[in-house]
Amino acid sequence: MDVVQLRHPEGYRSSDDETSSNNSEELTVDDMIEIGELTAVSVTKNLKRRYNSETFYTYIGDILVAINPYKEVPELYSPRTMLKYRDQAIGEQPPHVFAIADASYRSMVEEQKNQSIIISGESGSGKSETCKHLLRYLSDLNADQKSDVERMILEASPILESFGNARTVYNNNSSRFGKLIS
């Protein structure tokens, strides 16, 4: 599974801003494969509607698109939300980074194969936050067996990031490197 982070630059206006009615009752889809004609306009409209309804995750097939809300949304990552995704197949619950984490974990355990999750996006798009939530979910799955190594990875991540970060137009603490956690 891939996680893709989308971000609009300051002052961004989509080409349909002028013509859309901004009707909150317009339909959105959890998986954009369900859109009849998948175009840049249809993808943008669906993501905009979902964002306006505070639905920040959307699938395109087996890819998760995450839109940074630029605000705290505590219930989105609460222990109760974590439980909702435990042992659920992708698509049984609304799109979420926890669904990707759970599917990868179950696949790793059942198939005895390493798994990779790619988190990609522009500066300030929320890659580090997504990684933090993903690691927290995976760590929570093994709470009974949590090793010192797992605890050290979770605790060291913010410290490691501080060495490779820089100020950008969008983010005062932007990461300058990728992470590979095995």
Side-chain angles (χ1 to χ4, degrees):
M1 292 288 161
D2 297 332
V3 177
V4 178
Q5 302 260 338
L6 295 183
R7 179 181 188 291
H8 292 303
E10 194 73 33
Y12 170 84
R13 290 178 61 89
S14 71
S15 60
D16 64 325
D17 278 352
E18 307 293 323
T19 58
S20 82
S21 63
N22 222 2
N23 183 353
S24 63
E25 294 182 28
E26 292 177 353
L27 294 178
T28 68
V29 294
D30 283 349
D31 188 340
M32 289 193 279
I33 294 297
E34 298 172 16
I35 295 175
E37 187 177 346
L38 198 59
T39 65
V41 171
S42 64
V43 167
T44 302
K45 279 184 179 181
N46 189 60
L47 291 174
K48 183 178 179 181
R49 289 179 195 142
R50 290 177 68 78
Y51 180 85
N52 288 339
S53 67
E54 299 205 347
T55 307
F56 305 110
Y57 291 107
T58 308
Y59 293 122
I60 303 178
D62 62 352
I63 297 171
L64 178 67
V65 178
I67 300 177
N68 190 341
Y70 293 101
K71 64 181 181 179
E72 292 293 322
V73 188
E75 188 57 33
L76 192 57
Y77 306 106
S78 70
R80 187 171 65 175
T81 302
M82 280 188 192
L83 283 173
K84 201 167 105 173
Y85 286 89
R86 181 127 338 137
D87 296 322
Q88 300 290 309
I90 290 198
E92 290 182 13
Q93 295 292 332
H96 199 287
V97 69
F98 294 160
I100 301 299
D102 193 79
S104 296
Y105 177 79
R106 283 186 293 111
S107 205
M108 179 185 69
V109 169
E110 292 167 9
E111 298 173 21
Q112 295 293 300
K113 290 184 179 177
N114 292 336
Q115 300 294 304
S116 295
I117 300 172
I118 299 170
I119 301 173
S120 177
E122 293 181 8
S123 174
S125 63
K127 298 176 299 293
S128 293
E129 284 297 308
T130 297
C131 185
K132 179 177 73 176
H133 294 302
L134 195 132
L135 287 173
R136 202 178 98 231
Y137 182 88
L138 292 172
S139 177
D140 192 66
L141 284 174
N142 285 315
D144 299 338
Q145 305 166 16
K146 190 180 285 188
S147 70
D148 285 339
V149 173
E150 287 173 289
R151 184 184 51 74
M152 287 189 294
I153 289 171
L154 290 171
E155 290 175 357
S157 189
I159 296 166
L160 291 173
E161 283 189 18
S162 68
F163 290 107
N165 290 354
R167 176 174 279 192
T168 68
V169 176
Y170 302 113
N171 189 347
N172 287 339
N173 198 25
S174 184
S175 182
R176 297 278 140 241
F177 59 92
K179 299 175 192 120
L180 174 62
I181 301 168
S182 300

